[in-house]
Amino acid sequence: MSNRNNQQNKQAARERLRAERERQAKRDKTRRQLVVAGAIVVVLAIAGGVGYAVTNMNDGKGGSSGWAADKPLVKPANTTGENGNEIVIGDAKAKETLTVYEDPRCPSCAAFENQSGAQLRQDVKDARYKVRFVMVNFIDDLAKGTGSKNAVSALGAALNVSPEAFVAYKEALYSPKNHPDERDDAFAKDARLIEIAQQVPALKGNKDFEKAVNEGTYDKWAVEMGTLFEKNKIGGTPALLHGDKQLKAPNGNPPMAKESFIEAIDKEFGAKK
């Protein structure tokens, strides 16, 4: 009898251990989904043997300063500010502005777009706030390549068509079927960027857009946009700011999931009426 009870106790203990392992696996998966680019920087540095810090990214050795160095600065239409670095989307009458920093190769930015992008676009449509998008490129230096800068340049070509084309193209680039692993420099290929653009009605078959991508018309502009990452001391992407204040989820990470995004926005701007 005691042996049977002992076996039952062991079986129960094993079941409890199995259940706890499953719960831990779910928690680990959630943390991976919510990881910010600051953590990605560490992973990429280890995996790729990158031996320099974020502060030393633009050293001219394959970094941003060495890309498009011979190109003139061409500002896309629908930009304002110094070097055309203001991309503001939304109703000019909206009193508040939400600033969003993103890197085209950033997986966390893709997660934010796919989980909360629709809510953000609806808020902008409702004139709850305007959005200033700052498209940066620090992953190029950490993971090696030029995909982030090249994608930002293509986004400039889309913005030159219209703000709506820019927003739709950005959504397409971040979509699960199009967004590569951050170590895959797929966006460095103009043909791939043009291929994805065919999913956006305003860009499909748009020869002016395609010419700007192929010729790198907005390459220099993309580099200038990228300098705002360090200049404004943004630690990682995505980053959401209201003025100088970074919005955070309860766990301290950027509010990427829809629920945490709504909570952070309601806390900052007041509950939606």
Side-chain angles (χ1 to χ4, degrees):
M1 190 70 168
S2 61
N3 286 338
R4 185 165 66 252
N5 288 339
N6 189 39
Q7 289 297 324
Q8 291 174 340
N9 290 339
K10 288 182 178 179
Q11 180 63 28
R14 284 194 291 269
E15 288 296 321
R16 288 195 298 272
L17 180 60
R18 182 186 61 78
E20 177 58 30
R21 284 173 175 170
E22 289 179 352
R23 286 193 294 270
Q24 183 62 46
K26 290 180 180 179
R27 289 194 291 268
D28 290 342
K29 182 179 179 180
T30 299
R31 279 196 294 269
R32 287 195 298 272
Q33 290 174 334
L34 296 176
V35 67
V36 294
I40 294 170
V41 166
V42 176
V43 174
L44 291 174
I46 294 172
V50 180
Y52 51 89
V54 173
T55 53
N56 293 323
M57 289 191 296
N58 294 332
D59 60 0
K61 298 177 181 178
S64 294
S65 62
W67 191 80
D70 59 343
K71 296 284 183 69
L73 175 63
V74 180
K75 305 174 188 178
N78 305 301
T79 61
T80 58
E82 183 181 3
N83 295 327
N85 61 17
E86 297 276 349
I87 305 172
V88 181
I89 307 295
D91 191 336
K93 296 179 181 178
K95 295 181 179 179
E96 304 293 346
T97 300
L98 179 69
T99 300
V100 179
Y101 283 78
E102 295 178 311
D103 185 312
R105 289 175 70 181
C106 170
S108 293
C109 297
F112 170 70
E113 175 65 44
N114 294 315
Q115 295 178 47
S116 299
Q119 182 63 49
L120 182 147
R121 291 188 291 275
Q122 185 61 51
D123 285 350
V124 171
K125 183 178 179 180
D126 294 341
R128 192 176 186 189
Y129 49 79
K130 303 183 292 291
V131 176
R132 180 192 175 196
F133 287 107
V134 184
M135 306 306 299
V136 297
N137 51 55
F138 71 98
I139 289 181
D140 279 354
D141 295 277
L142 295 169
K144 302 298 184 184
T146 59
S148 288
K149 292 186 286 291
N150 206 38
V152 174
S153 179
L155 281 163
L159 184 59
N160 194 66
V161 174
S162 71
E164 294 77 15
F166 167 84
V167 172
Y169 187 44
K170 186 167 73 69
E171 182 183 1
L173 290 173
Y174 280 132
S175 70
K177 67 179 180 179
N178 295 326
H179 196 262
D181 183 282
E182 71 269 26
R183 291 163 294 185
D184 179 357
D185 201 25
F187 289 165
K189 300 176 182 178
D190 293 341
R192 179 56 179 153
L193 295 173
I194 291 173
E195 179 185 16
I196 295 172
Q198 304 313 299
Q199 300 165 25
V200 179
L203 304 180
K204 185 177 181 180
N206 188 317
K207 298 304 180 184
D208 289 338
F209 166 82
E210 294 177 9
K211 180 180 179 182
V213 173
N214 285 321
E215 295 183 357
T217 302
Y218 303 106
D219 286 359
K220 190 71 170 183
W221 173 81
V223 171
E224 292 297 328
M225 284 289 291
T227 64
L228 299 178
F229 180 79
E230 291 181 47
K231 186 182 296 183
N232 295 336
K233 296 180 171 59
I234 302 301
T237 56
L240 283 63
L241 287 80
H242 182 215
D244 294 330
K245 178 183 178 182
Q246 286 205 37
L247 277 59
K248 299 289 186 180
N251 61 7
N253 290 331
M256 292 188 290
K258 182 177 180 180
E259 294 78 8
S260 60
F261 174 74
I262 291 174
E263 182 180 353
I265 291 295
D266 284 351
K267 183 178 180 181
E268 188 65 21
F269 300 120
K272 193 171 185 179
K273 297 179 181 180

